[in-house]
Amino acid sequence: METTADLLVHDADLVATVDDGRREIAGGWVAVTGGVVSGVGGPGDPRPAAARAVDARGCLVTPGLVNTHHHLYQNLTRSYAPALTGGLFDWLVTLYPLWARLDEEAAYVSAYVGLTELALAGCTTSTDHLYVHPRGAGDLIGAEVRAAQDLGVRSHFTRGSMSLSEKDGGLPPDSVVQDDDEVLAESERLVAAHHDRSPHALTRIALAPCSPFSVSTSLMTRTAELAERLDVRLHTHLAETQDEDAFCLERFGRRPVDHLADVGWMTDRTWLAHVVWPSADEVARLGAARVGAAHCPSSNMVLGSGLAPVAELRAAGAPVGLGVDGSASADAASLWLEARTAMLQGKLRHGAASFSARDALELATRGGAACLGRTGEIGQLSVGACGDLAVWPLTGPAFAGALSDPVEAWLRCGPVAARHTVVGGRFVVEDGVPVHPGLDAQLAVHRRVSERVQAPR
C-alpha cells in the first residue's frame, strides 16, 4: 500500500532540484513525508496521495536557500547613522560599545525577527555568528536556539568569541572579550546542549573565534583542537579587507591565509566569511584543502571591502556559499538579494556569460550545504534529503514576458519574496506570511530593545 505523503507541491512551472544531475522538471512536483523528500517527478510520473497538496502553477520551486554567514544580533543596530560612512574597522569600533548591551532578551528577539526575515526570502537553513558575549549577559546562544525552535527553522549557531581587547592590541573593548578557558568551556557546553548530529537535524553548533584582529593565536589553535575532538565545524572571518592584511603582517608577520594554516584551520572542517583578498596562490591552497567560503556580496560592497574571487575559489575546489552577513553592514537579510547581487558581481568581474542565475542558485543551495558539511542533506531536492523548499511566484508585472527560462527570470526580474517557505515539510511562510503567530509582539519588543541598545550614554 502506497504511503500518503505529508505534503505534495505540484504543477510547478519548473522544479529546479539542484540535485547531483541538476535536474529541472517542467510541470514538476515534490513530495515530503516525515520531514524528508519522498518523491520528485514530472507530469508523466505518478504522484502520491498527500495529506496536503499545494498548487504551484505560475511558480518556480527550488530547494530552501542556505545562509552561511550572519550576525542576527546586529539587526538591533540596523542602518545606525554614526557608523554608515566608515570601512570595516571604523564601523566595528563605533558599534562595539552598543553591542556590549546585549542580553538574553536581545538575543532572542533579534534571532526571532532575523530568522523570520530570512524565511520570507526563501531561506530554510541559516548560520549565525554571535561573537559578542558581554559579562553577565546570560546564555545568548541558548536564547537564539529557542527562537529558531519556536519558528521551526533549521539553524547552525556558532559560538563566536573575542579575546584580544584594545589593551592587547585588538579592536574590541574589554567588556566584550573573554579569556581562552572561558570561551572553550562555554563552547563545549553548547555543543553538548544543542548539537544534533542526526542527518535531518534542526540545530547544530560550530565554533567561531571572530577574526585575526580580535582573537589570540592560542585561542585559534585550541579551538581547532576542540573542534577536532568534538567533531564540529569551524568558522571565522578571513581576508575581508586590505586593512586585515596589514594588521596580520604587523602582528603575526604573516598574511591572513598563512596565519590560518599556522593555527591549524586549513581543513575541510572550516568555512570562512568573505575571503575577498586572497592571492592566486592562497586561492589554490584554500581550494586544495576544501576550505569553504561564505560569499557576502552586499556587505562587501556596503563596507567598500572589495569583490571576492568567487569563480577562482570554485575552480580551485573550495565550496562557496552565500551569506547575508550582519544586519548592520548589509542591512537587508534576503538571500534572494544576495543571489542576484552575486550573479551581477560575477558578470562584472568576468563578463556577461561568466555567471548565470543557475550559478547563483547553486551558491545559495548546494554551495551553502557543502560549507556546512551537509551535502546531500540540505540544498537539493532529492529523495532522502531534508524536506526544505521554497515556492517562488513568477507572476505579475515584474515577470510579465519572462516566458523562456524560469530560473533566469527568478533573479533577473523581481524583486520577489517566497510565496511558501517549507522546512522539513512544515510551512514557516505560507502565502507570503510567517506562520508563527508571535511576529507583531516580537517586533514591538524589538523596537524597545533596539532603542535601549542605541540610546546615548
Side-chain angles (χ1 to χ4, degrees):
M1 182 176 173
E2 185 177 299
T3 303
T4 299
D6 297 325
L7 175 66
L8 177 69
V9 178
H10 61 88
D11 291 305
D13 279 12
L14 189 74
V15 174
T17 66
V18 205
D19 65 5
D20 292 347
R22 309 306 194 269
R23 285 187 303 161
E24 296 182 359
I25 307 169
W29 54 266
V30 180
V32 180
T33 308
V36 303
V37 176
S38 53
V40 180
D45 300 313
R47 302 194 304 217
R52 173 151 188 206
V54 173
D55 191 329
R57 279 177 287 192
C59 298
L60 170 70
V61 175
T62 69
L65 307 187
V66 179
N67 178 35
T68 59
H69 187 62
H70 204 2
H71 309 291
L72 288 162
Y73 74 89
Q74 290 180 12
N75 63 33
L76 296 165
T77 53
R78 247 198 262 250
S79 197
Y80 181 66
L84 296 184
T85 56
L88 175 65
F89 282 20
D90 292 337
W91 176 84
L92 285 169
V93 169
T94 302
L95 288 167
Y96 279 142
L98 277 63
W99 298 338
R101 301 169 187 172
L102 286 177
D103 58 16
E104 287 188 18
E105 180 185 46
Y108 178 93
V109 74
S110 59
Y112 185 104
V113 170
L115 292 169
T116 300
E117 181 183 11
L118 285 164
L120 287 166
C123 176
T124 53
T125 299
S126 183
T127 61
D128 187 58
H129 188 187
L130 204 171
Y131 56 81
V132 178
H133 293 271
R135 283 188 282 277
D139 183 0
L140 303 186
I141 290 180
E144 289 192 302
V145 170
R146 289 196 303 275
Q149 291 175 342
D150 287 347
L151 293 167
V153 296
R154 212 174 297 281
S155 302
H156 284 230
F157 293 108
T158 73
R159 207 303 179 173
S161 53
M162 297 190 289
S163 62
L164 284 181
S165 70
E166 293 166 300
K167 66 177 173 44
D168 305 312
L171 287 183
D174 290 349
S175 61
V176 295
V177 302
Q178 299 171 300
D179 67 40
D180 292 9
D181 290 342
E182 184 180 5
V183 169
L184 294 165
E186 182 65 5
S187 297
E188 188 158 5
R189 182 192 71 79
L190 287 165
V191 171
H194 301 298
H195 186 67
D196 182 350
R197 300 180 188 277
S198 67
H200 306 117
L202 276 176
T203 306
R204 288 191 179 165
I205 301 293
L207 308 185
C210 183
S211 60
F213 48 82
S214 60
V215 175
S216 67
T217 300
S218 65
L219 182 57
M220 290 291 287
T221 301
R222 292 176 67 190
T223 299
E225 293 167 352
L226 181 62
E228 183 75 23
R229 177 164 66 82
L230 299 180
D231 191 22
V232 295
R233 297 188 75 73
L234 290 165
H235 184 51
T236 192
H237 299 88
L238 201 86
E240 182 173 359
T241 67
Q242 291 174 301
D243 287 345
E244 183 185 322
D245 282 357
F247 179 94
C248 287
L249 285 167
E250 181 179 345
R251 184 172 184 89
F252 309 118
R254 308 281 275 163
R255 285 175 52 80
V257 173
D258 293 323
H259 180 59
L260 191 79
D262 293 344
V263 294
W265 280 56
M266 194 68 86
T267 161
D268 63 2
R269 191 182 295 282
T270 300
W271 88 101
L272 307 170
H274 301 289
V275 200
V276 176
W277 291 103
S279 67
D281 174 67
E282 290 165 344
V283 166
R285 290 167 62 197
L286 291 167
R290 298 296 184 264
V291 173
H295 177 41
C296 304
S298 292
S299 176
N300 293 344
M301 290 194 296
V302 167
L303 291 173
S305 302
L307 298 175
V310 172
E312 293 83 351
L313 285 163
R314 295 177 78 200
V320 180
L322 287 180
V324 300
D325 201 12
S327 304
S329 55
D331 298 274
S334 162
L335 273 177
W336 177 87
L337 179 61
E338 297 307 322
R340 187 176 198 272
T341 306
M343 177 181 74
L344 298 180
Q345 282 191 1
K347 292 176 182 297
L348 180 64
R349 281 184 68 96
H350 296 297
S354 66
F355 205 95
S356 69
R358 286 171 177 81
D359 290 314
L361 177 60
E362 182 115 354
L363 297 190
T365 53
R366 288 182 71 97
C371 284
L372 301 185
R374 300 194 72 170
T375 298
E377 296 177 22
I378 59 174
Q380 63 185 75
L381 295 174
S382 58
V383 172
C386 294
D388 301 355
L389 56 89
V391 180
W392 306 89
L394 305 182
T395 55
F399 291 94
L403 306 180
S404 61
D405 188 331
V407 177
E408 286 288 340
W410 172 64
L411 284 189
R412 287 174 175 264
C413 307
V416 63
R419 178 173 292 169
H420 308 302
T421 302
V422 174
V423 179
R426 302 179 61 164
F427 284 79
V428 176
V429 172
E430 185 174 354
D431 293 322
V433 178
V435 169
H436 193 273
L439 180 58
D440 288 345
Q442 289 301 321
L443 286 170
V445 173
H446 193 281
R447 176 65 181 243
R448 172 175 57 78
V449 173
S450 294
E451 288 173 347
R452 174 179 66 79
V453 168
Q454 296 183 35
R457 293 271 171 105

